[in-house]
Amino acid sequence: MDPTKDDDGTQGWDAINAALAALYPGQDPKHYGTALPYTLGGDDPLDGISVYWADAPRPHWHYVTYGFSELYDKQSDDAADSGYGFELTFRLAAAPGEGPDAAPPVWPMNLLQNLARYVFGSGNVFEAGHHLDANGPIALETDTVLRHLALVEDPQLPARDTANGRVRFLQVVGLSDEEMAAVRRWSTQGVLDALASAMPLWITDLQRGSLLADPALAAAVEAGSAREGSTTGMLFIETLGWAVEGDTVELVLGAGQVPGVLELLPLRLDHGRALTLADRERSWRFEPGEADRVALEQDSARCVLSPATLRGVLEHVQAQRGTYPLPGGRLRIRVVPTELRDASGNVVRTLG
């Protein structure tokens, strides 16, 4: 399909074209369509991806998807949103000597199609502020430090009302381990805003190091986290269990997960927010309150921590095997070793 052609029944596609035409007047994008549609058994859920060239604020490629929203006639019963309600974008820094006549790198298109497979397969919808671990370099077979992805509203493409409903443009941004740890301690938007001076338009540059190596940027991020707390409301962990002994509940955690729990607890509870720990079968919800209280169900628990008990957790619990009683006597935490295994299941390291 020609993405620049206005045909009847392509109102969703036309709306995306109109948004990009306003941003890149007179530029014909490089468009990459899907040979075999997903609905006919193809592997790629997206109908296509257009790539634009931008000179400022630094030369880069701007990738835009077609397919998360309803591109043709309205099909869903949701009048408010078009399809999933968004399209994805991605900005990649141009390589030295690369210009608008070059062919844009293909790997971002594969990345965007992989994200589409997740959405189409699970039905889970992306929102601004979401983030995920790429489980390796975001560009395969590279030594980039960027191993995580965050989503934010594209700073140059505001949400658009179309004949099929509203469409938002969510930009995918590559982040390092240190930057993603900062996101967990604060928020995606907060961290990206703090880093914007060093990463204008949040352009992904595979060659860069961690921006938090800059003391000024690191201080700004830590100040934001201390001021606003963390938006990370759920932490997925491998070891989670509990048992009752008399009037005391014993919470069991793995040593490998303890540092993350101790880091997030004050950034949530001190700001009036809950923190939920979850494994594949159970969940444990910490909440702030004036008095300690624990309510247990078969596969879930609700634990209210007083300020004194929260301080006790932070001061006494360590990432080492052992049992740690807490003030008030209603709760204790038992830390067990965490075993790290290789791809064959062999234990290569034990934490705690």
Side-chain angles (χ1 to χ4, degrees):
M1 172 174 186
D2 182 353
T4 64
K5 184 179 180 181
D6 294 334
D7 290 331
D8 292 338
T10 62
Q11 57 261 32
W13 195 299
D14 299 340
I16 299 173
N17 285 345
L20 274 298
L23 181 58
Y24 299 105
Q27 182 176 157
D28 290 330
K30 295 176 170 63
H31 186 79
Y32 299 83
T34 300
L36 182 62
Y38 194 66
T39 54
L40 298 180
D43 293 329
D44 297 329
L46 300 175
D47 286 37
I49 297 172
S50 283
V51 189
Y52 292 79
W53 173 264
D55 288 309
R58 60 177 296 187
H60 68 277
W61 300 103
H62 193 186
Y63 298 74
V64 182
T65 66
Y66 288 73
F68 289 102
S69 61
E70 290 169 293
L71 301 176
Y72 312 108
D73 294 327
K74 182 68 177 176
Q75 299 293 324
S76 74
D77 295 329
D78 185 354
D81 288 328
S82 175
Y84 288 109
F86 67 89
E87 293 290 350
L88 293 181
T89 75
F90 183 79
R91 298 174 188 267
L92 177 66
E98 204 168 45
D101 294 331
V106 172
W107 70 263
M109 301 182 217
N110 295 330
L111 173 66
L112 294 170
Q113 288 285 8
N114 282 334
L115 293 175
R117 292 185 189 98
Y118 165 76
V119 172
F120 278 68
S122 67
N124 295 329
V125 177
F126 288 134
E127 299 281 354
H130 285 182
H131 50 80
L132 58 154
D133 188 340
N135 295 313
I138 63 171
L140 297 178
E141 299 180 359
T142 68
D143 59 357
T144 182
V145 301
L146 307 183
R147 304 171 64 89
H148 304 267
L149 300 170
L151 288 99
V152 67
E153 299 281 352
D154 189 302
Q156 292 186 320
L157 290 173
R160 193 174 186 90
D161 289 320
T162 77
N164 291 338
R166 194 163 180 81
V167 178
R168 293 161 295 129
F169 295 92
L170 302 181
Q171 182 172 325
V172 180
V173 183
L175 296 178
S176 69
D177 288 343
E178 297 83 0
E179 293 155 3
M180 183 51 63
V183 165
R184 288 192 290 267
R185 294 194 302 270
W186 186 9
S187 69
T188 298
Q189 190 69 55
V191 170
L192 288 179
D193 284 344
L195 299 180
S197 61
M199 188 169 46
L201 290 185
W202 302 309
I203 297 168
T204 294
D205 181 357
L206 293 180
Q207 306 306 315
R208 73 172 179 84
S210 172
L211 298 179
L212 293 179
D214 182 327
L217 293 178
V221 167
E222 288 306 311
S225 176
R227 181 178 64 251
E228 299 176 10
S230 171
T231 59
T232 303
M234 180 171 288
L235 191 63
F236 292 95
I237 60 179
E238 293 183 4
T239 302
L240 176 65
W242 55 81
V244 179
E245 184 176 315
D247 294 330
T248 301
V249 177
E250 181 177 82
L251 171 64
V252 181
L253 300 174
Q257 288 80 52
V258 167
V261 174
L262 297 181
E263 180 178 59
L264 286 178
L265 267 176
L267 294 173
R268 294 290 297 178
L269 272 61
D270 283 348
H271 293 266
R273 303 168 187 155
L275 175 66
T276 298
L277 311 180
D279 66 4
R280 293 180 179 86
E281 299 177 350
R282 289 178 155 189
S283 65
W284 176 285
R285 179 181 170 91
F286 284 111
E287 297 178 3
E290 294 302 318
D292 296 337
R293 186 167 66 255
V294 181
L296 302 178
E297 301 290 342
Q298 182 174 352
D299 55 4
S300 65
R302 177 174 174 264
C303 175
V304 177
L305 293 184
S306 67
T309 301
L310 174 58
R311 298 277 85 78
V313 172
L314 301 178
E315 292 172 4
H316 300 298
V317 178
Q318 302 178 34
Q320 295 290 331
R321 71 187 77 189
T323 301
Y324 302 88
L326 299 174
R330 297 295 309 278
L331 178 69
R332 65 173 180 250
I333 296 178
R334 180 161 60 92
V335 178
V336 298
T338 295
E339 295 180 339
L340 303 181
R341 300 177 181 272
D342 60 20
S344 300
N346 302 310
V347 177
V348 296
R349 186 183 175 194
T350 299
L351 303 177

